[in-house]
Amino acid sequence: MNITDGKLFTNMLRAAYLNLEKNKEEVNRLNVFPVPDGDTGTNMSLTLKSAVKNMETENSEDISKIAKAFSTGSLMGARGNSGVITSQILRGFSQGIDDAKIIDVETLKNGLVQAYKIAYKAVMKPTEGTILTVIRGIGEFAEANYKNYVDVKVFFEDIIAEGKKVLESTPEMLPVLKQAGVVDAGGMGLIVILDGILNYENIESSESISVETAKINSSSFPIAQDTGDDIKYGYCTEFMIETDYGDYLKFRNDISKFGDSILVVKGDGLIKTHIHTNNPGVVLEKALQLGQLKDIKIDNMRIQHNHIIAGKEADEYFDPAMDPNKKMKYGFISVSSGEGFSKLFKELGVNKIISGGQTMNPSTETILEAVDEINADNIFVFPNNGNIILAAEQAKSLSEKNIIVIKSKTIPQGITSLLSFDEELNPEENEKEMSEVLSTVKTAQLTFSIRDTEINGLKIKKDDIIGLEGGEILSTGKKLNKVTLDLLSKIVDEDSSLITVYYGEDTEDKHVNDLERKLTRIYEDLDIEFVNGGQPLYYYIISVE
């Protein structure tokens, strides 16, 4: 049996998404730490949702074109490390099958081998015991054994069985997995995807997938009370061009005179375009000169603006006062979670603030759109989360602008890095200085456990308070401030001079006041600051410098 039908292949890939969407919470629960924002399954599911949407708009029966559309969609919708790696696996598979019209045993082998090779190249320092190990095990098995098979289905069944064996061995490769008593979440997500493909007939796959943009409540931020009359270009216009035209930068330059907020990204046989303009028809006519158009979307932003003012909806990021026509030497983008943090970043001069973090990792496309909104020679991006760094770097690789990704893994690191910026230095000097200060910041985080577990000799019960620093759980208990003080006692040292406590949206005032009194007494020689971060899920995020 070979896969010769494009419609069948489409249903298989759609079933892969539906199976992951159905089981994403099971994947999320495999997060090593029992924190309430384990999101590997969610990120992978959102990545595949974008892939399916793009595949459906392609509406092709050609197997290689379907694979390319699926890959391109995953690339633009990739969220978090797991999502980015998944998109690279799909990119490699698409490259591996090349222009194949059918998927036989050898073609499947070619796709899987290229999938693991491309995925490994995407990560600077690959860690074994992760999704990378699982896809490599699958690829190596396929390469070594494909000549023993004739039937693709039988071959695929054995490939999945091998993948499950590798997945089961991940705790032996990563001690932290073994301590937590779980297998790797990303690897499990990959197996769920493959199981969906294998069992596509048993999965409801007739539904059309629609991608929704993450929203935030505009009441979180100060917005001028106006009617939108100052909007220079009134129509947000988006579309895809089916074309092999290579000089997409020339096309971007050609349409630049018709508007602003221009985003043009080249994929396999596609050019994705976004522009704010007063003449959508003219832009579409220019695009038609390059190829067929699809996925056209035009929104009247002046009407949308009135809804925003009414507090009904807002974009996933907002910008402080900024003249889009004025070219700046430097621009700044920061990911932020919480109203207080966002206001603080605004005060520090950040031009674009993307709402996100552990609970919702922004996609590569969202970061690219933010980059495109900034008229600057050099743009610094602060992911402020280890799970967003890969998406930021992928956005950098897709953009023609000079993007500098500062690898901040926490919001306090991002704040400290921003404070070290010196406009008199050149971009390279600033990158060096802003990156070096990251190591001077210790970030303590206080949240609650979502399950019983045992890590590093600590027995943790569901709903216990847990204190984390440097990727490890160091303290646990029943009382918030007691755990907080215990955690700080382990990370504050003789070199520490400042403790900044950012309290969350659900932290009660009595706990905040009590902690302030105790910290002031215990660390009388240190500067103590309390700031309303407004972050979800985390009672405290504490910076120690």
Side-chain angles (χ1 to χ4, degrees):
M1 171 192 167
N2 296 327
I3 301 172
T4 60
D5 184 354
K7 185 176 181 181
L8 172 63
F9 188 47
T10 296
N11 286 339
M12 287 177 167
L13 294 178
R14 189 183 293 112
Y17 159 69
L18 291 170
N19 199 43
L20 183 57
E21 173 65 16
K22 178 182 178 182
N23 294 284
K24 65 182 180 184
E25 291 305 326
E26 292 300 317
V27 176
N28 285 343
R29 277 193 279 272
L30 292 175
N31 189 48
V32 170
F33 295 143
V35 294
D37 53 11
D39 55 1
T40 298
T42 300
N43 283 336
M44 294 178 74
S45 178
L46 288 171
T47 299
L48 286 201
K49 188 174 186 180
S50 178
V52 170
K53 174 62 178 176
N54 197 56
M55 176 181 68
E56 289 182 341
T57 59
E58 176 72 23
N59 194 28
S60 174
E61 294 189 3
D62 183 289
I63 284 176
S64 64
K65 289 182 179 179
I66 293 168
K68 287 180 181 178
F70 200 73
S71 166
T72 300
S74 72
L75 176 71
M76 299 308 298
R79 296 173 185 266
N81 292 347
S82 55
V84 172
I85 293 172
T86 300
S87 75
Q88 294 306 302
I89 290 172
L90 295 173
R91 175 170 166 249
F93 183 82
S94 175
Q95 290 180 2
I97 69 170
D98 197 21
D99 294 325
K101 302 303 178 185
I102 66 170
I103 297 180
D104 56 17
V105 167
E106 186 171 3
T107 302
L108 180 57
K109 178 268 295 183
N110 292 340
L112 292 173
V113 169
Q114 189 68 358
Y116 90 76
K117 289 181 178 179
I118 292 295
Y120 265 80
K121 287 180 181 178
V123 181
M124 186 174 297
K125 295 180 180 179
T127 299
E128 297 303 334
T130 65
I131 183 175
L132 290 171
T133 307
V134 178
I135 186 59
R136 179 169 60 82
I138 285 171
E140 290 178 345
F141 174 86
E143 189 170 28
N145 296 281
Y146 79 98
K147 290 182 180 179
N148 300 326
Y149 295 87
V150 176
D151 190 302
V152 166
K153 184 177 181 182
V154 175
F155 185 37
F156 198 55
E157 288 174 343
D158 287 354
I159 283 169
I160 294 175
E162 178 66 21
K164 289 179 179 178
K165 288 180 184 177
V166 177
L167 177 65
E168 290 171 1
S169 70
T170 55
E172 302 303 320
M173 303 178 201
L174 271 182
V176 68
L177 294 176
K178 191 170 186 178
Q179 287 183 2
V182 296
V183 294
D184 178 66
M188 174 59 83
L190 178 61
I191 295 299
V192 171
I193 290 169
L194 299 179
D195 270 336
I197 293 173
L198 179 64
N199 299 297
Y200 73 96
E201 291 178 309
N202 299 321
I203 297 174
E204 176 57 50
S205 59
S206 62
E207 298 179 4
S208 177
I209 307 301
S210 61
V211 178
E212 298 178 358
T213 302
K215 301 292 182 183
I216 55 174
N217 193 321
S218 62
S219 62
S220 299
F221 309 111
I223 301 177
Q225 300 298 312
D226 59 56
T227 62
D229 292 336
D230 292 332
I231 294 177
K232 185 175 181 181
Y233 297 104
Y235 295 94
C236 176
T237 305
E238 299 178 72
F239 53 87
M240 304 278 277
I241 312 171
E242 293 180 321
T243 180
D244 292 324
Y245 181 71
D247 195 356
Y248 69 99
L249 295 179
K250 182 179 183 301
F251 172 67
R252 186 178 69 182
N253 292 335
D254 288 344
I255 66 173
S256 62
K257 59 187 175 184
F258 300 116
D260 62 12
S261 300
I262 301 168
L263 174 68
V264 179
V265 178
K266 183 77 167 64
D268 290 324
L270 292 171
I271 295 178
K272 179 180 176 63
T273 304
H274 170 283
I275 183 173
H276 293 173
T277 180
N278 288 327
N279 300 287
V282 175
V283 175
L284 293 175
E285 286 179 8
K286 287 281 186 183
L288 277 168
Q289 295 175 15
L290 304 184
Q292 294 186 11
L293 305 185
K294 63 178 184 177
D295 209 14
I296 300 172
K297 180 173 175 284
I298 301 174
D299 292 318
N300 186 322
M301 294 191 298
R302 293 186 176 93
I303 293 176
Q304 287 183 331
H305 183 82
N306 290 335
H307 289 301
I308 292 172
I309 297 302
K312 294 180 179 177
E313 62 178 27
D315 289 334
E316 65 271 20
Y317 56 82
F318 79 97
D319 57 298
M322 179 176 67
D323 182 356
N325 298 313
K326 182 181 178 182
K327 188 69 171 285
M328 301 177 292
K329 183 178 180 181
Y330 292 109
F332 303 91
I333 297 170
S334 179
V335 177
S336 176
S337 176
E339 178 182 353
F341 278 128
S342 296
K343 287 182 177 179
L344 180 56
F345 279 122
K346 178 183 177 182
E347 292 168 359
L348 291 173
V350 172
N351 306 106
K352 291 290 179 183
I353 297 175
I354 301 175
S355 179
Q358 277 297 102
T359 53
M360 178 57 72
N361 294 164
S363 67
T364 299
E365 185 173 19
T366 297
I367 297 172
L368 276 172
E369 289 173 350
V371 166
D372 194 63
E373 290 285 327
I374 298 178
N375 187 13
D377 294 322
N378 310 284
I379 300 174
F380 287 89
V381 178
F382 300 86
N384 298 333
N385 186 293
N387 208 30
I388 302 175
I389 292 173
L390 270 182
E393 291 182 331
Q394 185 155 274
K396 175 181 178 177
S397 70
L398 292 171
S399 176
E400 293 300 315
K401 293 188 175 181
N402 184 34
I403 299 175
I404 301 165
V405 179
I406 302 297
K407 298 179 181 180
S408 51
K409 295 184 177 180
T410 67
I411 289 180
Q413 281 191 340
I415 292 170
T416 299
S417 182
L418 266 169
L419 290 170
S420 70
F421 171 75
D422 185 345
E423 194 166 2
E424 298 303 315
L425 300 179
N426 64 39
E428 293 74 22
E429 291 170 333
N430 265 311
E431 179 180 11
K432 184 175 183 295
E433 292 291 329
M434 297 168 79
S435 297
E436 285 180 351
V437 299
L438 297 179
S439 62
T440 68
V441 183
K442 298 176 185 176
T443 303
Q445 301 176 87
L446 282 299
T447 186
F448 58 92
S449 174
I450 59 170
R451 67 170 186 266
D452 293 350
T453 189
E454 183 172 347
I455 297 178
N456 294 332
L458 296 174
K459 293 183 178 180
I460 303 169
K461 296 294 184 181
K462 184 177 181 294
D463 296 325
D464 277 1
I465 302 297
I466 53 178
L468 305 97
E469 194 277 326
E472 294 186 10
I473 297 177
L474 300 181
S475 301
T476 184
K478 303 294 184 183
K479 295 184 177 181
L480 173 60
N481 285 354
K482 184 176 180 181
V483 175
T484 302
L485 293 173
D486 180 59
L487 176 61
L488 287 175
S489 71
K490 296 174 181 177
I491 64 176
V492 174
D493 56 32
E494 60 184 12
D495 296 323
S496 303
S497 60
L498 172 65
I499 298 175
T500 305
V501 179
Y502 301 94
Y503 51 93
E505 62 181 0
D506 296 322
T507 309
E508 297 181 35
D509 288 344
K510 64 179 182 180
H511 292 309
V512 175
N513 295 334
D514 175 65
L515 183 63
E516 186 171 10
R517 286 193 298 269
K518 290 177 178 176
L519 287 182
T520 303
R521 184 179 71 251
I522 296 171
Y523 301 105
E524 57 184 1
D525 294 330
L526 275 62
D527 293 325
I528 310 291
E529 296 181 359
F530 275 73
V531 179
N532 183 358
Q535 69 272 8
L537 300 179
Y538 286 81
Y539 300 113
Y540 300 125
I541 294 177
I542 305 175
S543 172
V544 178
E545 302 175 62

